[in-house]
């Protein structure tokens, strides 16, 4: 991807890209749950101060991260562009499976609810202790294919760390209010929301969604 980025970035695929009315309508409809600014202008012209989006990949990654560990896979796609705050040096030799490598890749690609909560709170507190001119991160959206039980556990871990009333809005993909047509495009709707995030926390070893560079779950 990096070798073709210059051509791709200037091609009509990106220069003429626009979210469909169906996606934008869903974003606007859920603005009150995530951040009021999404109702005013859901297009990704500028980030919304104080909005953080976290990508929590589950499902097949319960096993897939072990395959990545065995291959000593590096970060994918956009996560390897210059300026990304997190970097990753793949451990060990490709083709060799060890428990040590599995632990490292699990933390990077399939973290526990506690690990996710700890990382989110770390980023939130760093903002609190940072420049006074920057708004605190008080709006958090979790984009995920995880089930309700796990995501509720993630929310609980975050609320224990930060307090139950710290975030003005704490939502996940499971909380979105969508009509029967929009339900087939939940990934695109989540992506449109994430494009407006001031801080994006992604999964460096996942190809599902990794095109922001403000800090990942690593």
């Amino acid at each position: 991807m990096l070798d073709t980025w210059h051509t791709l970035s200037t091609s009509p695929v990106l220069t003429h890209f626009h979210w469909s009315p169906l996606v934008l309508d869903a974003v606007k409809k859920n603005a009150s749950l995530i951040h009021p600014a999404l109702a005013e202008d859901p297009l990704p012209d500028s980030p919304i101060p104080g909005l953080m989006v976290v990508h929590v990949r589950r499902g097949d990654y319960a096993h897939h991260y072990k395959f990545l560990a065995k291959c000593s896979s590096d970060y994918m796609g956009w996560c390897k562009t210059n300026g990304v705050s997190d970097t990753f040096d793949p451990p060990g030799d490709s083709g060799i499976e060890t428990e040590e490598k599995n632990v490292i890749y699990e933390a990077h690609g399939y973290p526990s609810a506690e690990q996710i909560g700890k990382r989110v709170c770390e980023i939130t507190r760093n903002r609190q202790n940072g420049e006074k001119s920057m708004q605190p991160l008080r709006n958090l959206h979790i984009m995920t294919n995880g089930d309700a039980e796990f995501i509720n556990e993630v929310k609980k871990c975050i609320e224990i760390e930060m307090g139950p009333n710290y975030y003005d809005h704490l939502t996940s993909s499971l909380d979105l209010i969508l009509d029967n047509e929009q339900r087939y495009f939940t990934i695109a709707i989540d992506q449109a929301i994430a494009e407006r995030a001031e801080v994006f926390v992604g999964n460096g070893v996942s190809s599902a969604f990794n095109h922001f560079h403000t800090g990942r779950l690593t």
Side-chain angles (χ1 to χ4, degrees), residues 131-151:
E131 297 180 21
K132 299 299 181 182
S133 60
M134 302 181 74
Q135 292 190 21
L137 300 172
R138 293 192 178 276
N139 302 276
L140 175 61
H141 179 64
I142 303 169
M143 51 185 301
T144 185
N145 64 339
D147 59 35
E149 182 178 0
F150 181 78
I151 298 306

Side-chain angles (χ1 to χ4, degrees), residues 63-215:
H63 305 287
H64 186 59
Y65 79 86
K66 293 184 179 180
F67 169 76
L68 297 175
K70 184 176 181 179
C71 297
S72 295
S73 296
D74 200 347
Y75 276 163
M76 299 181 182
W78 306 101
C79 296
K80 296 184 67 176
T81 54
N82 292 331
V84 174
S85 58
D86 289 333
T87 58
F88 183 52
D89 184 18
D93 297 323
S94 179
I96 298 177
E97 182 175 359
T98 67
E99 185 59 30
E100 181 182 6
K101 288 170 66 176
N102 285 340
V103 170
I104 293 172
Y105 276 85
E106 183 177 24
H108 282 251
Y110 198 72
S112 66
E114 291 78 12
Q115 288 173 315
I116 296 170
K118 181 179 179 180
R119 181 61 172 144
V120 168
C121 294
E122 178 185 10
I123 294 170
T124 302
R125 291 192 176 112
N126 286 344
R127 171 58 66 87
Q128 285 179 311
N129 300 325
E131 297 180 21
K132 299 299 181 182
S133 60
M134 302 181 74
Q135 292 190 21
L137 300 172
R138 293 192 178 276
N139 302 276
L140 175 61
H141 179 64
I142 303 169
M143 51 185 301
T144 185
N145 64 339
D147 59 35
E149 182 178 0
F150 181 78
I151 298 306
N152 286 335
E153 186 179 353
V154 171
K155 289 182 178 180
K156 182 178 179 181
C157 290
I158 293 172
E159 290 178 337
I160 289 175
E161 287 285 330
M162 300 304 302
N165 301 314
Y166 178 83
Y167 292 99
D168 296 332
H169 303 91
L170 176 51
T171 57
S172 79
S173 305
L174 305 179
D175 300 316
L176 297 178
I177 300 172
L178 306 173
D179 61 31
N180 290 333
E181 188 176 15
Q182 291 166 343
R183 291 184 186 280
Y184 291 97
F185 300 92
T186 53
I187 294 176
I189 293 166
D190 265 338
Q191 288 178 328
I193 295 169
E195 281 196 342
R196 296 303 307 278
E198 183 183 17
V199 173
F200 178 80
V201 186
N203 186 326
V205 295
S206 170
S207 59
F209 194 89
N210 54 34
H211 62 276
F212 288 86
H213 62 268
T214 45

Side-chain angles (χ1 to χ4, degrees), residues 45-66:
D45 295 331
S46 60
I48 297 174
L51 174 60
M52 176 163 59
V53 173
V54 181
H55 173 212
V56 176
R57 180 81 180 267
R58 307 308 288 176
D60 61 317
Y61 261 55
H63 305 287
H64 186 59
Y65 79 86
K66 293 184 179 180

Side-chain angles (χ1 to χ4, degrees), residues 27 30-40 48-51 135 138-139 169:
V27 174
N30 287 277
S32 61
L33 299 177
I34 301 167
H35 197 293
L38 290 171
E40 302 170 7
I48 297 174
L51 174 60
Q135 292 190 21
R138 293 192 178 276
N139 302 276
H169 303 91

